[in-house]
Amino acid sequence: MNRAFVVAKKDLMIEWRSRMLLVRVAPFALLVLVLFAVALDSEPLILRAAAGLVWLAMLFSSLLVVQRAFAIETDDAALDGLLIASGEPAQVFFGKTIAAFVQLLSLAVLLVSGAIVLYGATVSASNIVLLVTTMLTASLGLASVGTLYGAAVANMNGKDSLLPLLAMPVAAPLLIGASRATEAAFGSQTIDASAGWAWVALLAVFAVVFVSAGAAAFGTLVEAES
């Protein structure tokens, strides 16, 4: 894991210097929330849909984060050099997943805060742990899916369009679970906290499955694309 953290640190340092998350992804995600608020134009409907809109914006933003993470590795066979330096493909996968997780978790905090400000969503003290756990598990799931499929299309022609086509159907269960758990955390009358925790359990299983699958398949995918 030491080498995985080195890879994650490299990606995060590149992000810190480029400010892509701050300059491009975060404004885009907030703009999605604002556009949905204008389009729905109904306070009860917006409150009901707030959790789903947060995670829909997260999905779009995660694609930008993953595309950026692999765009910096495709020039001059940088990914091949990274694999040789790390020794094990799984270490590169874990490193890139950790870096994507940190960025997506930051976005999740921003978008939930945006939903509270723009949509009037509320989180009671008793539901804060549920909300935080939801953001952690869902962000890890999105990061692992994005890293796995980002590696699969890294060297393909039309990779910018292939990544959404491949990743979005797979991420659908995660988005449903995250939306329902977040809705419970927002105090919805249609789902209680106990049901929200059941959805969090699904998110945890999803994250474990894709982290494991990604670690096992990352090397094969990269070699197939080389």
Side-chain angles (χ1 to χ4, degrees):
M1 290 304 295
N2 286 337
R3 293 182 180 181
F5 284 122
V6 170
V7 174
K9 181 180 178 181
K10 173 191 72 71
D11 280 11
L12 291 173
M13 286 182 65
I14 291 173
E15 168 53 38
W16 177 254
R17 291 169 180 171
S18 66
R19 302 290 198 276
M20 179 185 152
L21 186 70
L22 183 64
V23 175
R24 292 175 54 188
V25 181
F28 168 78
L30 290 174
L31 181 60
V32 171
L33 289 186
V34 172
L35 289 177
F36 277 125
V38 173
L40 294 176
D41 195 26
S42 170
E43 184 174 349
L45 184 57
I46 290 174
L47 285 173
R48 178 69 176 83
L53 298 180
V54 165
W55 290 103
L56 189 59
M58 272 290 292
L59 173 62
F60 295 150
S61 302
S62 67
L63 296 175
L64 295 176
V65 170
V66 171
Q67 286 172 348
R68 167 65 176 172
F70 282 94
I72 62 178
E73 306 291 2
T74 53
D75 295 336
D76 301 322
L79 184 57
D80 292 337
L82 187 62
L83 289 169
I84 293 171
S86 65
E88 292 290 339
Q91 295 169 345
V92 177
F93 172 79
F94 285 135
K96 287 199 160 293
T97 299
I98 291 169
F101 167 73
V102 171
Q103 295 177 65
L104 292 178
L105 183 60
S106 301
L107 273 176
V109 173
L110 176 65
L111 289 173
V112 168
S113 302
I116 292 172
V117 173
L118 296 173
Y119 301 159
T122 57
V123 182
S124 64
S126 60
N127 288 334
I128 290 178
V129 175
L130 173 60
L131 181 61
V132 171
T133 308
T134 300
M135 290 191 293
L136 288 170
T137 53
S139 297
L140 179 57
L142 277 176
S144 59
V145 170
T147 303
L148 178 60
Y149 283 94
V153 302
N155 293 313
M156 289 184 179
N157 294 327
K159 58 188 175 183
D160 291 343
S161 57
L162 282 174
L163 179 60
L165 289 174
L166 294 174
M168 290 176 70
V170 177
L174 183 145
L175 295 175
I176 294 171
S179 298
R180 296 296 283 167
T182 304
E183 187 178 350
F186 283 166
S188 172
Q189 296 180 352
T190 61
I191 181 172
D192 57 18
S194 60
W197 281 110
W199 285 106
V200 169
L202 174 65
L203 295 176
V205 171
F206 186 97
V208 169
V209 168
F210 271 90
V211 168
S212 302
F218 188 83
T220 302
L221 289 173
V222 173
E223 288 174 3
E225 292 302 314
S226 299

